[in-house]
Amino acid sequence: MKQIALTGIKPTGILHIGNYFGAIKPALALTGNYDARYFIADYHALNTIKDPKELSALIRQVAAGWLAAGLDPDQVIFYRQSSVPETLELCTQLMAFTTKGLMNRAHAYKAAVQANTERGEDPDAGINMGLYTYPVLMAADIMLFDSDVVPVGQDQVQHIEMAQDIAQAVNYNYRQEVLKVPQALVQKSVAVVPGLDGRKMSKSYGNTIPLFAPEKELRKLIMRIVTNSQAVEEPKDPEGSQIFLLYKLFAAAEEQTALAARYRGGGMGWGEAKEELFRVVNRELSPMRERFEALITNPGALDDILKRGAEKARVIARATVGRFRAAAGIDS
Ligand code: ADP
Ligand code: TRP
């Protein structure tokens, strides 16, 4: 039997190339080897996104994005967290086994407290209970589906460790394996994708290339990449240029070797390097953009896919909360 891999995708921003290479592509690469369950963590997003139109649009865009990037809903159980209400029941069940001290130690909460303190504000200013108890809901997402592994970035490892602590507390109390203890799966080889200004591409820096930008906008953004003032004829170091770093993500090995030689040989200006980058980026993204447009303009079909995913998910979810209730002496 295949192991179960599960990951949550927070719909808090429009997908960009960093998300694609750092999260989407590696997660999709796992789907053949694992029984995969991927979901849109819309209740996690609610902690920060309070505008209903914005949240609803982001949920659809992110779901369409994953499908356009190649997620096969017949192979992966793909659903919205909010469509599986058992998540919220398990979350309540786990609350009783989660110490407040554990939540006090969560990095995201501590960072928010520190930022408040530095600004001379009340330590808990602007921190809602959703943010404070974020790791419990995430533990519920994970344990609900008997997940063996959770593919995440390094920043999420502490949350998986907390999920382990909570599952162990439950199992220890009832002297049986009510919940499976999950493991984090961190893909170390995943590159950090640079943004237009050379820093890590991130929505918080406003330096992103959106994954589904229309062709014209894509071209404009690539032309905006910050470069140094080396003249056309000067030889250039490919590895020191973010244009080339981005190029490597999209180009075949022979293309990379050929372009690196042109950089080193001199005679190629940044404008031409950007044109070549645009060509390979657009080549890879065009078909995905078309699939994305088809999904986003047909919300009924998109919702259907997510609904079918939720139905499959709920069969598993009901079994888990039932197991907990039976162990806890709470009869249905
Ligand atoms: P952002 O930094 O734009 O807010 P998120 O924190 O929402 O992005 O990231 C969602 C996922 O995409 C995470 O798994 C994260 O590791 C990955 N990711 C985001 N930006 C990059 C990047 N520049 N390079 C590689 N992976 C990234
Ligand atoms: N916290 C994760 C993030 O910010 C998203 C998430 C929610 C998640 N629930 C999860 C990831 C369960 C893995 C498993 O990226």
Side-chain angles (χ1 to χ4, degrees):
M1 232 174 62
K2 284 184 187 171
Q3 284 206 317
I4 295 165
L6 170 139
T7 201
I9 303 138
K10 218 167 34 161
T12 45
I14 292 185
L15 296 175
H16 56 71
I17 288 176
N19 300 141
Y20 179 62
F21 287 102
I24 301 177
K25 237 184 155 174
L28 293 182
L30 295 176
T31 58
N33 299 330
Y34 290 89
D35 245 338
R37 283 114 208 229
Y38 295 164
F39 69 95
I40 308 288
D42 44 8
Y43 272 124
H44 277 113
L46 181 63
N47 294 325
T48 46
I49 303 189
K50 298 296 198 289
D51 177 335
K53 278 208 188 96
E54 187 190 0
L55 184 55
S56 134
L58 281 171
I59 291 167
R60 285 222 170 76
Q61 282 174 14
V62 171
W66 276 74
L67 291 163
L71 187 148
D72 174 359
D74 290 325
Q75 205 194 353
V76 177
I77 305 183
F78 186 52
Y79 56 94
R80 291 168 66 148
Q81 181 186 43
S82 60
S83 306
V84 182
E86 289 76 11
T87 307
L88 310 169
E89 182 170 351
L90 184 60
C91 185
T92 299
Q93 293 166 336
L94 298 184
M95 288 284 183
F97 290 84
T98 306
T99 61
K100 180 167 173 283
L102 188 70
M103 296 299 97
N104 289 340
R105 289 194 290 277
H107 297 321
Y109 170 67
K110 274 170 62 178
V113 168
Q114 197 189 337
N116 280 334
T117 313
E118 278 164 12
R119 270 188 261 118
E121 288 189 48
D122 180 87
D124 280 329
I127 300 176
N128 58 50
M129 284 304 284
L131 175 72
Y132 186 61
T133 61
Y134 186 108
V136 193
L137 180 56
M138 182 158 161
D141 294 330
I142 296 169
M143 265 92 88
L144 194 60
F145 293 96
D146 307 318
S147 314
D148 294 292
V149 296
V150 186
V152 283
Q154 190 60 44
D155 62 313
Q156 296 295 313
V157 169
Q158 190 199 32
H159 291 151
I160 315 299
E161 287 166 357
M162 291 180 162
Q164 293 170 339
D165 283 358
I166 299 169
Q168 277 156 353
V170 170
N171 294 345
Y172 179 76
N173 183 71
Y174 297 118
R175 302 289 191 275
Q176 55 176 301
E177 202 202 13
V178 183
L179 302 170
K180 194 180 279 176
V181 181
Q183 304 298 325
L185 182 67
V186 182
Q187 284 160 311
K188 297 223 164 56
S189 60
V190 168
V192 172
V193 177
L196 297 172
D197 58 0
R199 290 186 292 174
K200 173 185 180 247
M201 186 177 288
S202 168
K203 61 176 173 286
S204 9
Y205 296 148
N207 63 354
T208 66
I209 301 180
L211 195 50
F212 305 110
E215 195 169 309
K216 254 193 176 159
E217 188 193 329
L218 180 65
R219 194 161 188 288
K220 246 201 218 149
L221 286 170
I222 289 179
M223 295 307 148
R224 254 182 44 201
I225 295 176
V226 179
T227 55
N228 62 22
S229 54
Q230 279 183 300
V232 173
E233 58 279 2
E234 277 181 77
K236 298 176 179 66
D237 172 24
E239 298 301 332
S241 143
Q242 77 239 34
I243 303 178
F244 193 74
L245 295 181
L246 285 167
Y247 187 79
K248 285 204 321 198
L249 296 167
F250 292 93
E254 318 80 75
E255 289 175 313
Q256 292 178 34
T257 317
L259 195 72
R262 291 191 60 206
Y263 267 73
R264 294 200 185 92
M268 189 181 65
W270 293 125
E272 203 184 327
K274 289 177 182 178
E275 282 295 348
E276 181 55 16
L277 174 63
F278 168 72
R279 187 183 68 78
V280 292
V281 175
N282 196 42
R283 181 178 68 189
E284 179 152 341
L285 299 189
S286 291
M288 276 204 288
R289 187 191 302 127
E290 277 167 33
R291 286 196 293 272
F292 178 79
E293 288 301 329
L295 286 158
I296 213 74
T297 50
N298 190 352
L302 183 60
D303 290 347
D304 257 10
I305 293 175
L306 291 166
K307 204 170 127 214
R308 272 189 280 127
E311 280 161 10
K312 285 188 249 173
R314 290 194 71 184
V315 175
I316 307 166
R318 278 190 211 107
T320 310
V321 292
R323 217 161 58 225
F324 186 102
R325 280 172 167 249
I330 296 175
D331 301 324
S332 343

